[in-house]
Structure formats: structure tokens, C-alpha cells
Amino acid sequence: MPLVNTKELFAKAYDGGYAVGAFNCNNMEIVQAITEAAKECNSPVILQVSKGARNYANPTYLRKMVEAAVEETGLPIVLHLDHGDSFELCKDCIDNGFTSVMIDCSSKSFEENIEITRKVVEYAHDASKHPQCPYVTVEAELGTLAGIEDEVAVEHGSESYTRPEDVEEFVKRTGCDSLAIAIGTSHGAFKFKPDQCTRDPETGILLPPPLRFDILEEVSKRLPGFPIVLHGSSSVNQEYVKIINDNGGKMVDAVGVPEAQLRKAAQLAVCKINIDSDLRLAMTAGIREHMVAHPDHFDPRQYVGDGRKYVKEIVKHKINDVLGSNDKI
Ligand code: G3H
Ligand code: 13P
Ligand code: ZN
């Protein structure tokens, strides 16, 4: 099966009450871990590549690795641009075989966001421009998340929730295929400041405030059947944080979105859940643990291999226990 766009995957996910995981890829081991996990779970999967990943790993290498994963697994895989910040970047990805792109102009004015998103949609939906994938799906964003969105850093406290009253006009005027909304998630492994949280009296771990499900419900009422995307959806699983900290790391008060809330979102209109930080934590945990246990090792296959093992483990857990996309092929 060739790479696919998100159209059919999201239609099935919406009707089936589950979400497809969108996992960030930066190197071969991460691509392998995600796609082997998806294969074992019989799950569709979105491999997403940020501008930073393209700069790190080289766009051709990343695309070829994803093509290799398609060949190896036979799964329906989407190759998606994460947080594209310009028409030119989206066009370059579309011209080079991506089947889905995100144009993120959420930090611009409403009108500017519409104008640039519309331009990307026109190009992405024009089969004559890219016959290898006649319909490239486009994700857009309304509202801003705290954290780093590639070059766009949004300070905690300056983020803004999506305004439900804007979404119908935005989707109608842009023609986008899915919409990322801001309901309280943020990028990275430190999603909530300690003063926004309570603390578990036994473990001392931070307990974050709930997401704004009222906004999600209002948005989906206004856009019935339309796929919604959640960014910043790592849960910052504390077992990996502990392995990191027990093996020379220092990640104090790292906290993410509780899995139960993501499960609930996946059962509602959320069809795509973005996860990057959890893979970074798993990779780091595997490598740190290996290095401390085997100070004499210097073969990267040994320690990066352990990182890959943990990434695969966390992706399987997400698919089976959080997203619900297992056995959906
Ligand atoms: O949304 C951000 C993703 O985690 C990608 O991060 O820009 O560092 O590759 P990056
Ligand atoms: P996390 O930092 O929560 O993994 O979010 C990733 C993301 O939204 C990528 O676009
Ligand atoms: Zn994101």
C-alpha cells in the first residue's frame, strides 16, 4: 500500500470513536520503533516531520526512511508535515511526496491565518500540481499552545484557547481538512507550571488541571463530523521520568496530559493526537539506563537499540490503551 492522506483514516476514526497517533520522527530508530509498534497493533499511523527534523536529518533521508517503513509493514501510513510555517515549506513537502501538511499560522491574525491556509489548501487539493498524491490533506490551527512550535515560542500565560465562535467561518473560508485547537495542552515535557497543579501527597508528582472539554464540545457541535486535532498531547509517563532521573538526568516536575483525558478526547471529535515528547523521554530513558548499567559499552547499536526498545513500548501502549486505534485496519 502506498502512503495515504488523512481523509479516510479520520472518517473511520471519527465514526469509530478513536484517534490516530501522530508521532514525530527524527531518525531511523524512531521511524522503526513507531512503525513496528503500529504493525504489531494492526493500527494506522501518522509519521510527522517538523521543520527542525528536516534540518536535523535531511528531508530526503526522512522521506526514504518513511517509504522503507511503508514497504516493510504494508500499513496505511501518512507522511505529514508538522507545524509548517509558510506556504513555501508546505509546497516543498507536497512536491516531495508528503501526503498531508499542517500550515500553522495560529500566531498570526485571523485574516492572515485564513489567507495563508487557503493558499496551501488550494495547492494541496489541486491534483494537477502533484499527481503522485492528487489530494494532500491540510491541517490548520486556531488558538495558540504554550511551548515551542518550531521557531514560534509562545510563553506560558500568553497562550490563547480556541474561540468556538470562529471555527465555522475559518473552516468554510479555508477549506482545510482538519483543525488543531487549543484546549489547554502545550508542547514539551513541562506542560503545566507547579502553581497550576496540585501535588499528589504520596508521590509528590504534580497533578495537572483538566483540559477544556467544554471548548472541544462546543467546537464539535459547530463542526459536526469534522476531524479535530490535539497537539501537545504527551502524557509524560512518570516511569520514564524516574528512569531518567535515577540514571543521572534532571527532569524536575515534568508533567503531561493524563491519559484518561486523551482517551476521552479520542472518543469525541479528536481524530489525531500528536505525541513527540513521550518518545523523546522513552529514548532518553533507554539510553541513560544503558549507559549507567554498561559504562564500558561504546557501540551505538547497544544503547540506541535500548532507546528504540522503549520507544516501541510506549507507542504500543499509546495505540492500545490511549488512542484505541489497534485493530483498525
Ligand atoms: O510541536 C513540536 C514538535 O514536538 C516538534 O518539535 O520542532 O523540536 O522538532 P521540534
Ligand atoms: P508533545 O510535546 O506533547 O509531545 O506534543 C507534540 C506535538 O504537538 C507535535 O506537533
Ligand atoms: Zn504540535
Side-chain angles (χ1 to χ4, degrees), residues 27-311:
N27 65 20
M28 183 189 75
E29 284 78 5
I30 295 174
V31 172
Q32 290 172 330
I34 298 164
T35 53
E36 283 172 20
K39 178 77 182 165
E40 287 175 27
C41 299
N42 201 27
S43 169
V45 72
I46 299 169
L47 298 180
Q48 56 186 14
V49 167
S50 69
K51 189 172 170 179
R54 279 167 52 101
N55 291 341
Y56 172 77
N58 173 307
T60 313
Y61 277 84
L62 282 171
R63 179 165 46 81
K64 294 286 180 192
M65 286 189 296
V66 171
E67 285 169 9
V70 170
E71 194 179 316
E72 279 294 313
T73 62
L75 289 175
I77 295 179
V78 179
L79 175 55
H80 175 77
L81 169 67
D82 191 26
H83 293 289
D85 59 358
S86 67
F87 169 78
E88 290 71 26
L89 176 57
C90 292
K91 179 178 181 304
D92 188 56
C93 288
I94 294 169
D95 292 346
N96 284 289
F98 280 55
T99 51
S100 181
V101 292
M102 176 190 194
I103 175 70
D104 179 3
C105 291
S106 57
S107 57
K108 299 195 186 326
S109 72
F110 186 65
E111 282 303 322
E112 224 181 326
N113 190 351
I114 288 181
E115 191 188 320
I116 302 170
T117 303
R118 176 75 226 156
K119 194 172 166 193
V120 171
V121 169
E122 274 167 13
Y123 189 78
H125 292 180
D126 184 346
S128 69
K129 299 281 195 329
H130 37 81
Q132 80 285 358
C133 179
Y135 191 99
V136 173
T137 39
V138 179
E139 173 186 330
E141 181 168 326
L142 262 185
T144 51
L145 276 66
I148 308 288
E149 296 193 340
D150 271 319
E151 267 80 67
V152 189
V154 181
E155 298 271 312
H156 277 280
S158 307
E159 66 271 32
S160 56
Y161 294 114
T162 304
R163 290 159 30 98
E165 57 271 38
D166 289 340
V167 299
E168 289 149 290
E169 181 185 350
F170 184 84
V171 168
K172 199 161 163 214
R173 286 178 60 195
T174 60
C176 65
D177 299 282
S178 61
L179 184 67
I181 62 168
I183 60 167
T185 63
S186 64
H187 291 108
F190 299 87
K191 297 195 183 300
F192 304 96
K193 288 191 290 191
D195 63 10
Q196 294 177 283
C197 303
T198 50
R199 223 175 253 285
D200 184 308
E202 270 174 33
T203 61
I205 292 169
L206 292 177
L207 303 170
L211 299 179
R212 291 285 305 272
F213 277 95
D214 56 320
I215 297 178
L216 172 60
E217 276 160 22
E218 188 56 36
V219 166
S220 43
K221 241 187 256 163
R222 289 167 186 260
L223 297 174
F226 193 79
I228 300 301
V229 177
L230 274 195
H231 282 248
S233 296
S234 280
S235 294
V236 187
N237 299 63
Q238 294 299 313
E239 62 263 38
Y240 294 111
V241 175
K242 183 168 179 348
I243 294 173
I244 291 170
N245 289 339
D246 286 351
N247 288 280
K250 193 172 180 200
M251 299 197 69
V252 180
D253 286 343
V255 65
V257 182
E259 291 183 344
Q261 293 188 40
L262 296 170
R263 260 201 311 278
K264 179 174 165 187
Q267 284 157 356
L268 299 171
V270 172
C271 295
K272 173 174 179 271
I273 291 191
N274 282 18
I275 298 167
D276 186 4
S277 298
D278 280 343
L279 309 193
R280 296 179 181 194
L281 290 168
M283 177 65 77
T284 304
I287 292 175
R288 276 196 178 279
E289 193 175 50
H290 187 104
M291 291 294 206
V292 170
H294 306 282
D296 55 324
H297 282 183
F298 65 100
D299 181 341
R301 291 173 296 188
Q302 295 173 311
Y303 54 86
V304 184
D306 272 5
R308 179 173 61 187
K309 195 172 72 187
Y310 278 178
V311 175

Side-chain angles (χ1 to χ4, degrees), residues 307-324:
R308 179 173 61 187
K309 195 172 72 187
Y310 278 178
V311 175
K312 182 171 171 183
E313 179 183 280
I314 188 80
V315 173
K316 284 178 81 169
H317 167 64
K318 298 281 174 188
I319 289 173
N320 289 326
D321 305 323
V322 182
L323 304 160

